[in-house]
Amino acid sequence: MPKLSLKISMWKTFYIKPNEIGILYHRSDFKKILQPGTYTYFGWHWQVKTYDLNQPEAKIENLELLLRNNSSELEEYLVVVRTGFNQTALVRLGQNWIGVAPNQLRAFWRGFIEVESHIFNLEESLELPAQFVQQVRGVTINGLKKFQISEYEIGLLYVQNNFVRPLEPGEYAFWSVDRDVKVQTLSRIAPNPNFPLEDVLIEKHPEFVEAYCEMVQLSNQQVAIARYQSKVISILPPGSRKLFWQGVEVEIIDISADAKLPPRLVGELVSGLPEVLNLSHKNLYICEVPAQHVGLLYVNQEFQAQLDPGIHAWWIFGRSLKAEVFDLRQQTMEVSGQDILSKDKVPLRLNLTAGFRIVNPLTAKNGLSDISGYLYKELQFALRAAVGEKTLDALLEDKGAIDRSIAESIRTKTADYGIAVESVGVKDIILPGEIKTILSKVVEAEKAAQANVVRRREETAATRSMLNTARVMEDNPVALRLKELEILERIAEKIEKIQVNGSLDSILTELIRINRQ
């Protein structure tokens, strides 16, 4: 009995399930691959490692050693993927894809799931071929970066921050397992995008610039206007360099001799669209001279030209520009609230108005730092001189004398500065309260005396008229009778009824008698 028991225990049985595969080892030595089924072997040192075929990758210990000694048998059941230091791989497991990094050894079971592998040499290209890009769409694969370039964009491919090439619209994928891969997209709709490191593109990649771009290179005496579809999109200062997409029109202007803009550019850059004016504002000095005005232009603080009415503009680069505008129309200046003593020491407050015109702006600018201040001061001095040499009575009797005196004085002084004073007038002479009271009494007395004279003159005239009338009646009885009838008519207007008895003489006699009672 003991011998029989020992004999039975020396056999080992292994069962491989339908979804499994096994590897048979004897004393750790590979013997064979076991398909699903039951296997029995004699001896203690047999062992089987099983693998679930639902997990397509064969994670076998010591795979490198096993392949070295048993490659022909193992590769019958395995798809072996081996990548070098400059290689990657794509493996399709049914409908799924996985990536294999450089210096990797990986194996996948054949037969249970369809397995397909592809090796890529990174030294030749980091880009994944187009047919694979479509197959791995929507799948995340370690070490593979995917990019979508829209139809209105251009992509710039950078590897290790170095520009490689442009990418037209489409789908792309690049291996980035051991290096940095980036794609910067630029809109083709915007004709002047912000190209990354423009100078590097211009210097190191002229083929890209020639194929896609319009390059502008300016000297220190040139400016450029870039237009796209006939609209200004950029103004470039001297010495600048800029890239645009092809299709942009560039006008280069030499400003060494004359920095003033011609009328067509003034209309486009200054009087045109608001967004164009915003571009021009920092590059132009603009001066608008209204009608009936004149401008004086100074370049580097030296007078250059007189400016007629209109809009003027100059390029500001390399020069200092300043323009001053003068109104040629008559202007008014008020000198108000001037407290002055008359010759007889009466304090007065006067308000003066002067009308003046600038007839020679250049003379006025060169001779006076403050035209209005100078004119105001001289009007003050002339007013004080004119009032201080006259008494109050003289001032009140002839106000025009003050105006004439001030006008004569101010015109002499301002003529040398290109200023013509055309009118001067004292608007108000304000007296102190007590002086007003005294003058009011004087005026009242004068008016009362004049009224008495008029009244006496009228009384004398009335008496003289009565005497003349009496002389006429005395010499003419008919006139006396007419006068009596006139009196009777006036009385009759106030009496409702008159009864006449007798002659007209008796009526008049009775009326005279009644009047005396």
Side-chain angles (χ1 to χ4, degrees):
M1 282 301 285
K3 281 186 178 181
L4 181 61
S5 174
L6 178 62
K7 185 177 180 180
I8 294 174
S9 63
M10 291 294 290
W11 295 89
K12 276 192 174 183
T13 301
F14 304 99
Y15 175 65
I16 308 301
K17 297 177 183 179
N19 63 328
E20 293 180 336
I21 196 168
I23 298 179
L24 177 64
Y25 293 92
H26 185 261
R27 293 183 182 274
S28 301
D29 295 331
F30 172 81
K31 292 302 180 182
K32 62 185 298 186
I33 300 292
L34 301 179
Q35 296 286 346
T38 302
Y39 300 88
T40 301
Y41 295 93
F42 180 78
W44 291 97
H45 302 292
W46 295 97
Q47 59 178 343
V48 173
K49 289 187 178 180
T50 58
Y51 299 90
D52 186 355
L53 294 179
N54 290 316
Q55 302 297 324
E57 184 171 1
K59 296 184 179 181
I60 302 172
E61 294 181 3
N62 301 317
L63 178 61
E64 181 73 37
L65 180 61
L66 289 176
L67 289 171
R68 186 182 305 165
N69 299 323
N70 307 279
S71 60
S72 59
E73 186 174 355
L74 286 173
E75 289 179 358
E76 182 181 349
Y77 297 94
L78 293 173
V79 175
V80 178
V81 179
R82 187 191 300 272
T83 57
F85 74 94
N86 61 346
Q87 293 179 324
T88 58
L90 270 183
V91 179
R92 182 176 65 84
L93 306 173
Q95 299 300 318
N96 296 322
W97 290 84
I98 64 172
V100 180
N103 294 317
Q104 294 282 316
L105 174 63
R106 298 175 71 172
F108 305 88
W109 297 111
R110 294 179 184 273
F112 191 75
I113 296 177
E114 185 180 0
V115 179
E116 175 187 331
S117 68
H118 303 273
I119 302 296
F120 304 96
N121 190 334
L122 300 182
E123 286 189 348
E124 294 178 357
S125 176
L126 297 178
E127 183 176 1
L128 191 67
Q131 65 269 24
F132 294 106
V133 174
Q134 296 178 359
Q135 295 182 56
V136 300
R137 182 186 296 158
V139 180
T140 300
I141 299 174
N142 290 334
L144 189 67
K145 285 186 175 182
K146 291 179 284 185
F147 304 94
Q148 175 74 44
I149 310 299
S150 300
E151 62 181 356
Y152 62 90
E153 294 177 325
I154 287 291
L156 303 183
L157 174 62
Y158 288 84
V159 177
Q160 297 297 94
N161 293 322
N162 294 320
F163 175 71
V164 178
R165 66 181 179 90
L167 303 178
E168 293 288 342
E171 293 182 82
Y172 299 87
F174 299 92
W175 294 105
S176 61
V177 290
D178 59 351
R179 62 206 73 190
D180 182 31
V181 177
K182 295 185 295 185
V183 172
Q184 182 166 345
T185 57
L186 299 176
S187 173
R188 292 300 300 269
I189 298 175
N192 54 341
N194 291 322
F195 288 93
L197 301 174
E198 282 189 0
D199 291 337
V200 175
L201 290 176
I202 294 171
E203 297 292 339
K204 303 293 185 181
H205 304 280
E207 69 286 348
F208 166 76
V209 174
E210 183 179 357
Y212 289 89
C213 301
E214 181 75 32
M215 187 188 76
V216 182
Q217 176 77 58
L218 300 177
S219 71
N220 291 332
Q221 296 297 326
Q222 292 178 324
V223 296
I225 302 173
R227 299 179 180 88
Y228 181 67
Q229 296 179 350
S230 301
K231 178 182 177 182
V232 177
I233 58 172
S234 180
I235 296 176
L236 304 181
S240 61
R241 185 161 62 174
K242 176 69 177 173
L243 290 180
F244 301 91
W245 291 127
Q246 287 184 349
V248 172
E249 299 176 356
V250 178
E251 179 184 359
I252 297 178
I253 303 169
D254 188 345
I255 61 172
S256 58
D258 186 6
K260 187 173 183 180
L261 273 67
R264 67 173 183 87
L265 288 182
V266 172
E268 183 179 23
L269 302 182
V270 180
S271 304
L273 299 173
E275 54 268 30
V276 176
L277 179 58
N278 290 336
L279 289 174
S280 308
H281 185 71
K282 63 181 180 180
N283 300 306
L284 298 176
Y285 180 80
I286 302 169
C287 176
E288 182 174 359
V289 181
Q292 304 300 322
H293 289 66
V294 69
L296 300 181
L297 173 65
Y298 291 83
V299 179
N300 297 330
Q301 300 181 354
E302 293 184 1
F303 174 74
Q304 292 294 317
Q306 184 169 297
L307 306 177
D308 295 329
I311 299 177
H312 306 266
W314 300 264
W315 299 108
I316 63 174
F317 309 110
R319 51 184 56 83
S320 171
L321 294 145
K322 184 179 180 182
E324 291 193 34
V325 177
F326 294 86
D327 192 342
L328 300 181
R329 298 170 299 179
Q330 180 171 310
Q331 303 176 57
T332 300
M333 177 169 288
E334 300 284 340
V335 181
S336 303
Q338 300 298 304
D339 293 322
I340 306 173
L341 287 176
S342 64
K343 186 175 181 180
D344 50 356
K345 302 299 187 283
V346 177
L348 304 173
R349 173 167 293 187
L350 297 96
N351 297 323
L352 177 70
T353 298
F356 69 97
R357 188 191 306 273
I358 299 175
V359 295
N360 192 328
L362 183 59
T363 301
K365 172 63 181 175
N366 292 338
L368 300 172
S369 61
D370 182 2
I371 296 174
S372 297
Y374 168 78
L375 189 57
Y376 187 90
K377 179 191 68 174
E378 292 299 330
L379 285 171
Q380 276 187 315
F381 292 160
L383 177 61
R384 292 180 181 278
V387 173
E389 64 185 13
K390 293 183 178 294
T391 63
L392 176 60
D393 291 340
L395 292 174
L396 295 179
E397 288 176 3
D398 187 6
K399 294 180 182 179
I402 304 177
D403 301 344
R404 291 188 295 273
S405 174
I406 297 173
E408 182 179 351
S409 173
I410 196 69
R411 284 170 181 162
T412 302
K413 294 182 178 180
T414 58
D416 295 336
Y417 295 107
I419 302 172
V421 177
E422 298 184 347
S423 63
V424 177
V426 175
K427 293 199 303 183
D428 304 302
I429 299 178
I430 303 173
L431 303 174
E434 60 274 14
I435 299 298
K436 285 184 180 180
T437 302
I438 295 171
L439 288 179
S440 296
K441 291 180 179 179
V442 170
V443 171
E444 183 180 355
E446 290 178 349
K447 294 302 179 183
Q450 291 175 3
N452 289 333
V453 171
V454 172
R455 186 168 52 251
R456 292 190 186 96
R457 188 181 297 118
E458 291 178 350
E459 289 177 353
T460 301
T463 302
R464 186 178 296 110
S465 176
M466 290 176 63
L467 289 174
N468 292 335
T469 302
R471 291 192 187 97
V472 171
M473 290 182 181
E474 181 179 2
D475 297 334
N476 193 340
V478 176
L480 178 60
R481 181 61 63 180
L482 289 174
K483 188 65 175 177
E484 291 174 351
L485 290 174
E486 181 182 349
I487 294 171
L488 180 61
E489 182 181 4
R490 293 178 184 175
I491 295 172
E493 290 176 355
K494 300 179 181 180
I495 300 175
E496 294 181 1
K497 183 178 180 182
I498 299 177
Q499 185 174 357
V500 179
N501 295 316
S503 64
L504 184 60
D505 291 338
S506 62
I507 295 173
L508 291 175
T509 302
E510 290 296 328
L511 286 174
I512 293 171
R513 186 177 59 81
I514 292 171
N515 188 32
R516 288 175 177 175
Q517 290 179 356

